[in-house]
Amino acid sequence: MIITRTWLSEFIDISEKTLQDLVQTLNSIGIEVDKAHSLKVPDKVVVGFVKEKIKHENSDKLSICKVDVGEEDLQIVCGAKNVDEGQFVAVALVGAKLGDTSIKKTKLRGVESFGMICSSTELGFAKLCDGIMILDDSMGELITGKALNAYPLFNDDFIEVELTPNRGDCLSVYGIARDLSAAYDIDMKKRKDFVEPENSKGIGRMLRLSADKELNSSFKYRIIEFKNPVVTSLLLRLRLATIENLGENDVINFLNYATHATGVIFNAYDFKTLEKDQDEELIFKITKEKNGESKVYHEDKLLNTVGIYQEECSKLDQSQIIIIESSYTIPKIIAQAKPHYKKIDENIFYRSFRGSEPKLDIGMNYLINKISKYDNISIYTGSQHIQLQKSLQEIKITASEVSKIIGKDIDKNDIVRILKRLEFEVFIVDENLINVKVPMHRSDVENLYDICEEIVRIVGIDNIASKALEFKEQTRINDTYKEYLELKKLRSRAVALGYFESVHYVLDSKEELVKLGFSTSKLKLSNPLNSDLDTLRPTLINHLLNAANLNISNGKKSVKLFESGAVFNYETQEIHKIAFLNSGLKEEAKISNKAKPKTIDFYDFLFEIQSIIGKFELKQSKEDFLSPYEQAFIYQNGVNLGFVGRVHLKIEKERNLPKTYLCEINLYKLKFKEKVAKPYSKFPSISRDLSILVPKNLSYEPIKELITKLKIPNLQSFRITDLYSDESLSDYFSLSINFIFQNLEKTLEDSEINEAMQKILDALKKDLGLNLR
C-alpha cells in the first residue's frame, strides 16, 4: 500500500509533520512502514512553455523547439514524439544534474541545444508515457521559469506500508489518514459534498434497481456522460503510475484513483453495450446467492459477482455513457463464496476479502467531485442506491476494565476521543459505563480485548510503564504439560541416536503428495505462497524425503532426520504427528567400521524407533509408497499408532535416494504411562525353545495372540529366534520360539516348566492345528 504526503494532505493536515515523524507514528500504531523516502526534482529544472516547434532538417526524429523559461526563450532540440506547440513542459536548464547526467550546451545534428525537455522518469518519477511529461494546472498555477521542485507534487514524500490481513480499513489513503487523525488527535479535513448540477438529466430516466431482500451488500449508482475524449490530469496520472495502476482507459483510471484514495470499490458499465436505445430505461436486478454473495443482472445476463469478478460482457467498450457502481460486501461473505468461483479478479477480491470501505458516499463524492472539474463531462443528477441492513455489534466497556487490561490508567475521555477518531460510535451510559458500536470497516473488532488493542496502539506501547510480574503459585501440571514433556523426551532420544530435527511449513506440494498417494485437505488456498506450498500437509514424510534428497545431493552418505508438527486430514482436522527418516549408511565412515559402514536395514531402523517410543508390535500393512516387502503398522496396547517401512524402490529412484526407511506416528494415540518400579526376582530365569511347523500362509500374529491369552504363570516373555525352510518342509516353515520363565519367590522346577510348555503345545494344536517339528 503506497501513499504520498500530498495525497494524504487531501484528507488530513500533516504540514507540520516530518517524514521521520510520519514513519515513527505509523509504526507505533501498528501500520508497519516497509519503505519511505523523499523524492524531489533536481534544481535548475523549471516550468517551460513550448512556443514553437519545427522539424530538424537533418533528422526525421528530432524537433527544434523554442521554449519560454521565464526570463528568456531557449532553443532546445527534442526527440520526443509527443512534444508540440502550446505545451507546458519540464525543462532541465544548462547546469542541471539529473542523476549521473549533467545538462550542458550541446549540438545535435549541427543545431545548438540549450537544455532538455524531460520525461517523468528522467526526473526520477514513475513512467507516464513514452515521451516527455506534459504539465497542467492540476499541479498548481503554471508559471514559466518557476522551479519544478517548488510544486508539492514534485517535492513529495513516499511511504509504502505493509498491512496485516485484518486491516483492510487501511487499504486507502483515507483509511491511513483516519488512523493518523487518532494518533495525532487532529480533525480530518471536512469532506466536500457534491452539488448536483442544474438542468441535467436525472438518473431515474436511465436506471432502475430491483433487489432481493436481506442482501449482504450495499450499492450506489451514478451516471456520467463523456461528450468528448478526456485527457486525465497530470496529478491523477502521476499518482496512479506511482502505485503501478495507470492504465489506457481513462474511466478505469478515474475509478482506480478513487478506490486507492477512499477504499470504496468501483465498477463501471457501458450504457450502450447494455442497451441499444438510449431512451429506454435499464433495470439492474441484484440477487442474493446461496452462499450469501450478491450478483448483478441485466435481462438475465450476469454482469457482476460483487467483490469477486465482473463479467467481460459488461466491461467498458465505447465509454461514452457510463454507469458507475460503488459497492460493499461483508468480508466474511466473500470468504465463504470465493471457493465456489473459478474466475477471480484478484484486485477486487483482495480488497473485498480484507474489507473495503462501507461508506459508499465517501468514495462516490470524491470521484464525482474529481470528474466534475472536466468541462466535457456531464453528470446526471441523483443516484440509485441499496443500503445494507446490518446491526452494528455493541460492546459494553468500562474505563476501569480497560485500564486494568492495559496496565495503565486511561482516562474515560481519552478512551472516548480515540474511539471516535477511529469512527466508532460511542455512547456514555453513566460515569463509568461506555457503550461502543463497532463500525463496519472494522469487522475484526469483536470484544473488549480488541477495543483495548485499539486504545493501546494509539496511546503507544512505549507510553505504558512496565510493571514487575506478579507471581502466584499454582499447579501447572496438566495433561498438556505432560504431553509437552513426553514430546521433549522423544526428541531428546532421537537426537541421542543421531537424528537431526527438521522444521518445515505446514503447507506442502499437492502434486507431490498426490503422487505419493495422500489425499489433501478439502480447504483450498486462495493465495498460495508458491506452487510447491499450495495445500495443507496431510503427512510429514514428503518434507522429510525432500530434505533427505537435498542432503544426499550435497554429499551426505548417512541422513537421519525427524520432525514433529501438525498435519491436516481431508476435513481439515489438525493432528499432531512425529516422523523419522533414515537413509543411506548406518553411520559415517570411521576407524571403528574400517571406513566401510553398512547400509541401514529394516531391523536396525525398528530398533532405533523402539529406543525412541518404547516397545511396540508390528502388524501387516499395505501402503503404496512403501516397499511391499518391508512395511508394517505399529501398534501399542492394541492401538494403531502409524506405519514403518522402506520407501518404495520406484520413489527412491525418482527422488535420487539410497535405501531409505520411514516411520510416522500419531502423537495423539501414543499413550505415555508413568513408569512404575517393580521388584525384580533374585532367582534364576529358565529358558525353553519350541520349534513348530507353521503353514507358509499363516502369519505369526495369531500364534502370538493365542499364547498371550493363555496367561501362563511365570512366563515373563517369548520371542521368535529362528525361521527356517527347505525342500523337505514343502509348504511349511520351521518356527522356533524362545520362552523365558521366572518366579519372584523361588527357583522354578522342571515339572512346572514342562506343564506350562505342554499347555502351550496343546493350545497351538487345538486352536491352530500346529505340531512340533
Side-chain angles (χ1 to χ4, degrees):
M1 173 67 195
I2 298 174
I3 56 176
T4 67
R5 173 185 289 273
T6 55
W7 208 344
L8 200 57
S9 296
E10 292 185 7
F11 298 95
I12 187 173
D13 183 4
I14 52 171
S15 56
E16 297 182 1
K17 308 298 181 183
T18 64
L19 176 60
Q20 182 179 359
D21 183 57
L22 285 171
V23 170
Q24 184 177 347
T25 302
L26 288 171
N27 281 325
S28 70
I29 62 176
I31 302 174
E32 182 182 349
V33 176
D34 186 40
K35 299 175 185 175
H37 66 278
S38 296
L39 188 55
K40 178 182 178 182
V41 168
D43 294 333
K44 291 194 174 183
V45 179
V46 301
V47 176
F49 180 74
V50 182
K51 299 173 72 174
E52 183 181 279
K53 169 195 169 185
I54 60 175
K55 187 177 179 300
H56 195 298
E57 293 181 354
N58 299 321
S59 174
D60 293 334
K61 296 182 178 180
L62 297 178
S63 301
I64 303 171
C65 300
K66 183 179 179 181
V67 184
D68 177 4
V69 292
E71 296 181 354
E72 60 179 329
D73 293 345
L74 297 179
Q75 177 176 283
I76 299 176
V77 180
C78 180
K81 293 181 180 179
N82 64 330
V83 67
D84 207 351
E85 294 179 5
Q87 293 174 340
F88 284 94
V89 293
V91 179
L93 304 176
V94 173
K97 190 170 183 179
L98 308 182
D100 297 329
T101 303
S102 296
I103 305 302
K104 300 177 182 178
K105 173 185 173 183
T106 187
K107 277 189 177 183
L108 295 173
R109 297 288 181 94
V111 178
E112 290 186 319
S113 181
F114 300 88
M116 183 173 78
I117 303 176
C118 304
S119 68
S120 59
T121 54
E122 288 167 333
L123 298 176
F125 285 76
K127 182 178 179 179
L128 296 177
C129 61
D130 291 331
I132 60 168
M133 178 173 63
I134 301 170
L135 308 181
D136 61 35
D137 59 5
S138 66
M139 59 185 272
E141 183 183 0
L142 296 171
I143 302 172
T144 54
K146 183 176 179 179
L148 201 62
N149 58 24
Y151 292 89
L153 187 62
F154 293 103
N155 186 4
D156 210 350
D157 293 329
F158 293 77
I159 301 174
E160 184 171 354
V161 300
E162 293 287 342
L163 297 171
T164 53
N166 66 313
R167 293 308 308 275
D169 59 301
C170 285
L171 280 174
S172 66
V173 182
Y174 172 77
I176 299 289
R178 177 168 49 206
D179 268 29
L180 287 176
S181 167
Y184 289 135
D185 193 22
I186 55 179
D187 292 335
M188 296 274 282
K189 291 184 177 179
K190 189 175 180 180
R191 295 191 293 269
K192 181 181 178 182
D193 291 331
F194 175 69
V195 178
E196 298 286 353
E198 297 180 0
N199 302 320
S200 292
K201 295 179 182 178
I203 191 175
R205 294 174 52 189
M206 308 289 285
L207 178 67
R208 183 160 58 87
L209 303 181
S210 170
D212 290 347
K213 294 180 180 180
E214 299 180 353
L215 292 176
N216 293 308
S217 305
S218 295
F219 297 88
K220 186 160 191 172
Y221 293 87
R222 294 207 66 135
I223 296 180
I224 60 175
E225 182 177 353
F226 290 78
K227 297 177 181 178
N228 296 301
V230 171
V231 178
T232 48
S233 68
L234 170 65
L235 181 144
L236 185 147
R237 292 175 63 80
L238 189 58
R239 285 179 176 172
L240 285 177
T242 299
I243 64 174
E244 300 179 354
N245 209 2
L246 179 62
E248 297 294 328
N249 189 300
D250 286 313
V251 176
I252 299 301
N253 284 337
F254 277 124
L255 302 188
N256 289 340
Y257 184 82
T259 294
H260 195 83
T262 66
V264 173
I265 293 177
F266 289 95
N267 278 312
Y269 307 104
D270 193 318
F271 184 87
K272 286 188 176 180
T273 301
L274 300 177
E275 189 61 61
K276 294 181 181 179
D277 186 355
Q278 293 187 27
D279 295 328
E280 189 172 337
E281 177 187 62
L282 290 179
I283 300 176
F284 278 5
K285 182 180 179 182
I286 303 172
T287 64
K288 180 181 179 181
E289 302 300 309
K290 63 180 180 180
N291 297 300
E293 73 276 22
S294 300
K295 288 187 177 182
V296 180
Y297 289 88
H298 170 58
E299 294 184 349
D300 298 325
K301 180 189 291 184
L302 177 62
L303 305 181
N304 184 21
T305 303
V306 181
I308 296 178
Y309 185 77
Q310 182 179 352
E311 298 295 324
E312 290 293 330
C313 65
S314 70
K315 293 183 179 179
L316 295 185
D317 183 16
Q318 301 178 42
S319 304
Q320 187 173 359
I321 299 178
I322 305 299
I323 301 171
I324 296 176
E325 171 192 87
S326 59
S327 65
Y328 167 81
T329 302
I330 299 170
K332 185 178 179 181
I333 299 299
I334 298 293
Q336 292 172 348
K338 192 261 181 183
H340 301 280
Y341 293 92
K342 293 182 179 179
K343 294 188 292 186
I344 302 292
D345 186 323
E346 294 296 341
N347 291 330
I348 293 177
F349 173 73
Y350 179 79
R351 287 183 173 274
S352 59
F353 174 72
R354 290 190 169 205
S356 60
E357 175 57 52
K359 295 179 181 177
L360 304 184
D361 282 342
I362 295 175
M364 190 64 83
N365 282 337
Y366 184 89
L367 174 63
I368 298 299
N369 275 317
K370 294 293 181 185
I371 291 176
S372 65
K373 295 179 181 179
Y374 293 83
D375 294 333
N376 54 348
I377 295 179
S378 174
I379 301 173
Y380 286 50
T381 59
S383 64
Q384 298 279 22
H385 61 271
I386 296 173
Q387 187 62 41
L388 169 64
Q389 302 300 320
K390 182 178 183 294
S391 299
L392 299 181
Q393 181 181 1
E394 294 188 18
I395 302 174
K396 290 180 170 56
I397 65 173
T398 64
S400 57
E401 281 180 317
V402 171
S403 297
K404 183 178 180 181
I405 292 171
I406 292 176
K408 175 186 171 106
D409 288 334
I410 308 293
D411 187 83
K412 180 182 71 175
N413 294 329
D414 289 334
I415 294 173
V416 172
R417 174 184 57 80
I418 290 170
L419 293 177
K420 282 188 174 181
R421 291 279 189 209
L422 296 173
E423 296 187 0
F424 287 74
E425 293 183 28
V426 182
F427 305 93
I428 300 175
V429 179
D430 55 36
E431 292 184 358
N432 196 29
L433 185 62
I434 304 170
N435 195 21
V436 178
K437 286 190 176 182
V438 181
M440 285 196 292
H441 68 264
R442 290 307 305 273
S443 58
D444 59 313
V445 176
E446 298 180 344
N447 51 48
L448 169 62
Y449 299 98
D450 292 333
I451 295 289
C452 291
E453 184 179 342
E454 292 301 296
I455 295 168
V456 165
R457 69 185 186 87
I458 301 301
V459 170
I461 192 69
D462 294 335
N463 296 322
I464 299 175
S466 59
K467 294 182 179 180
L469 291 173
E470 293 183 15
F471 291 95
K472 295 182 179 179
E473 192 61 34
Q474 62 182 20
T475 301
R476 293 181 175 83
I477 299 176
N478 51 35
D479 290 340
T480 301
Y481 181 67
K482 289 178 182 178
E483 289 173 3
Y484 160 74
L485 289 180
E486 293 298 336
L487 176 59
K488 188 176 179 182
K489 290 177 184 177
L490 292 180
R491 294 167 63 201
S492 298
R493 292 177 198 145
V495 171
L497 288 169
Y499 285 84
F500 289 86
E501 185 168 13
S502 292
V503 179
H504 296 93
Y505 290 111
V506 295
L507 304 176
D508 206 341
S509 167
K510 183 175 182 178
E511 180 181 354
E512 292 180 0
L513 290 166
V514 171
K515 201 169 183 180
L516 285 174
F518 288 92
S519 59
T520 57
S521 167
K522 66 180 181 181
L523 179 68
K524 308 299 180 185
L525 302 184
S526 61
N527 187 22
L529 295 174
N530 54 54
S531 59
D532 292 330
L533 297 170
D534 57 357
T535 188
L536 291 171
R537 64 183 181 187
T539 179
L540 302 171
I541 67 169
N542 189 50
H543 280 315
L544 289 182
L545 287 171
N546 289 332
N549 170 264
L550 182 62
N551 279 273
I552 295 296
S553 300
N554 286 327
K556 293 290 184 183
K557 303 297 182 184
S558 174
V559 178
K560 302 176 75 171
L561 303 171
F562 79 95
E563 180 173 4
S564 65
V567 301
F568 301 85
N569 63 16
Y570 178 77
E571 298 297 333
T572 324
Q573 293 174 317
E574 182 177 331
I575 305 167
H576 205 156
K577 292 190 176 183
I578 187 168
F580 304 89
L581 176 144
N582 197 332
S583 180
L585 304 177
K586 288 175 65 174
E587 55 188 351
E588 297 291 344
K590 53 188 176 182
I591 295 175
S592 61
N593 57 38
K594 298 181 181 180
K596 294 181 179 180
K598 294 181 180 180
T599 303
I600 183 69
D601 61 38
F602 196 23
Y603 294 103
D604 290 328
F605 187 58
L606 287 172
F607 178 77
E608 290 183 342
I609 298 301
Q610 180 175 280
S611 300
I612 296 170
I613 71 169
K615 291 184 178 181
F616 54 79
E617 301 172 353
L618 297 179
K619 292 187 179 182
Q620 189 175 359
S621 66
K622 193 175 182 181
E623 299 286 358
D624 292 339
F625 57 89
L626 296 177
S627 168
Y629 309 107
E630 294 183 275
Q631 62 167 287
F633 287 128
I634 293 178
Y635 276 77
Q636 265 189 2
N637 303 315
V639 177
N640 186 346
L641 303 183
F643 62 81
V644 62
R646 181 181 175 181
V647 176
H648 199 287
L649 295 176
K650 180 179 68 174
I651 297 173
E652 286 182 349
K653 186 176 180 180
E654 290 174 352
R655 302 282 182 116
N656 295 318
L657 293 172
K659 194 174 184 182
T660 301
Y661 289 91
L662 289 169
C663 174
E664 187 172 62
I665 292 170
N666 187 332
L667 284 171
Y668 291 155
K669 295 182 179 180
L670 187 60
K671 302 300 180 184
F672 303 106
K673 294 183 178 180
E674 294 183 359
K675 292 183 178 180
V676 179
K678 295 182 180 179
Y680 64 90
S681 177
K682 300 177 183 180
F683 300 94
S685 61
I686 298 174
S687 173
R688 290 290 166 85
D689 292 321
L690 182 66
S691 293
I692 55 177
L693 290 174
V694 179
K696 288 184 177 181
N697 61 357
L698 180 66
S699 67
Y700 175 66
E701 192 64 32
I703 299 173
K704 182 180 177 181
E705 290 179 358
L706 177 60
I707 296 173
T708 303
K709 288 180 180 178
L710 291 175
K711 296 182 180 180
I712 304 295
N714 303 316
L715 178 60
Q716 299 297 311
S717 65
F718 61 95
R719 62 188 179 89
I720 296 175
T721 56
D722 187 39
L723 184 66
Y724 174 76
S725 177
D726 60 23
E727 293 181 0
S728 65
L729 296 177
S730 184
D731 295 330
Y732 288 87
F733 284 118
S734 172
L735 179 68
S736 296
I737 306 174
N738 176 256
F739 297 85
I740 303 296
F741 296 90
Q742 191 175 31
N743 190 283
L744 285 173
E745 300 175 352
K746 67 175 183 175
T747 300
L748 292 172
E749 297 180 3
D750 286 343
S751 59
E752 293 176 291
I753 304 299
N754 293 337
E755 183 181 347
M757 293 298 295
Q758 189 60 47
K759 188 175 181 180
I760 293 171
L761 272 171
D762 291 344
L764 290 173
K765 185 173 182 179
K766 179 182 178 182
D767 294 351
L768 299 177
L770 304 180
N771 296 303
L772 283 172
R773 182 184 173 191

